Amino acid sequence: MKNLVVFASGNGSNFEAIAKACINNKIDAKVLLLVCDKKDAYAIKRAELLGIESFVVSPRDFPSKDDYEKAIVDKLSSYNIDLICLAGYMRIIGNELLSRYEGIIINTHPSLLPSFRGKDAIEQAMDFGVKVYGITIHYVDSSLDGGKIIAQKSFEYRGDDIEYLKKRLLKIEHKLYIDTINEIL
Ligand code: GAR
């Protein structure tokens, strides 16, 4: 069985979908840890309910990004990790994490990359009036949402309002992320 660590900053629905897929043997792996950079993130509550340990660490408590990431690397070094899954982790991964884990960090992004990188990708796409939305799972490197693409899934815009569109997207995203993790493992 493989070992996963998931990073999240907010709601954590992707984290929960991955964790439940592991618990239900849909992924032959275990989520060892949730790493979260926001003390009030709902993802932490989800981890608690699933009995998964959280490591909550705020960049504000460190003098630099390197120091913040060193604290995460210190924590992670006690685990034997096969894959790190970013799931709504709203920070660019820096040198400390990349130098240790590049090649085994993947991310999900709510657009068909390379379109609409960065924050509020769905809003960006909606402002453009795009008719085909999508999700991209990619390897993480030092660029913003620019690492090599592993999987993409598109779906048509049906005139939904943005809240409904986000719900549709999350549902498709959860499945794509689980399928992609399985393929990588
Ligand atoms: C997901 O849609 C994910 O793709 C996106 O944040 C959402 C988090 O949802 N990530 C990014 O925009 C990263 N650039 P969740 O917290 O419910 O999993």
Side-chain angles (χ1 to χ4, degrees):
M1 189 187 291
K2 305 284 184 174
N3 292 324
L4 309 181
V5 170
V6 179
F7 283 40
S9 298
N11 177 35
S13 74
N14 277 282
F15 157 70
E16 182 170 327
I18 294 165
K20 282 190 170 161
C22 291
I23 290 164
N24 298 327
N25 298 317
K26 300 234 163 65
I27 300 176
D28 187 22
K30 187 172 188 250
V31 177
L32 300 177
L33 185 72
L34 168 72
V35 174
C36 184
D37 61 326
K38 293 263 162 56
K39 290 178 175 143
D40 57 355
Y42 189 61
I44 300 165
K45 179 77 186 164
R46 293 185 196 261
E48 207 179 292
L49 292 171
L50 290 165
I52 293 171
E53 186 191 350
S54 297
F55 182 60
V56 184
V57 61
S58 170
R60 286 192 202 152
D61 298 337
F62 297 88
S64 69
K65 180 167 179 138
D66 277 358
D67 291 303
Y68 160 70
E69 287 201 342
K70 263 182 204 149
I72 300 176
V73 170
D74 272 358
K75 175 72 183 173
L76 297 186
S77 61
S78 61
Y79 298 95
N80 188 9
I81 301 168
D82 295 293
L83 193 63
I84 296 177
C85 305
L86 308 186
Y89 179 69
M90 304 307 277
R91 282 178 196 283
I92 295 174
I93 297 290
N95 287 336
E96 289 295 327
L97 278 162
L98 275 180
S99 61
R100 179 77 175 73
Y101 295 108
E102 188 161 11
I104 63 159
I105 312 180
I106 63 173
N107 180 44
T108 181
H109 184 75
S111 77
L112 293 170
L113 289 172
S115 293
F116 310 122
R117 295 175 189 207
K119 279 190 185 157
D120 301 324
I122 301 168
E123 285 82 354
Q124 291 182 49
M126 194 164 251
D127 285 348
F128 263 90
V130 306
K131 301 298 174 230
V132 178
Y133 282 76
I135 296 124
T136 303
I137 316 284
H138 63 94
Y139 283 105
V140 172
D141 62 16
S142 57
S143 65
L144 174 63
D145 298 324
K148 188 147 169 79
I149 291 171
I150 308 163
Q152 290 184 309
K153 180 94 187 164
S154 64
F155 60 97
E156 276 178 32
Y157 180 59
R158 300 191 302 218
D160 309 327
D161 66 47
I162 194 150
E163 287 316 312
Y164 189 71
L165 182 67
K166 283 181 179 177
K167 274 192 197 145
R168 274 182 74 202
L169 185 141
L170 277 177
K171 212 169 153 199
I172 298 166
E173 183 173 44
H174 294 166
K175 182 171 184 321
L176 182 69
Y177 214 174
I178 290 165
D179 290 348
T180 307
I181 290 168
N182 266 323
E183 271 167 37
I184 293 171
L185 294 181

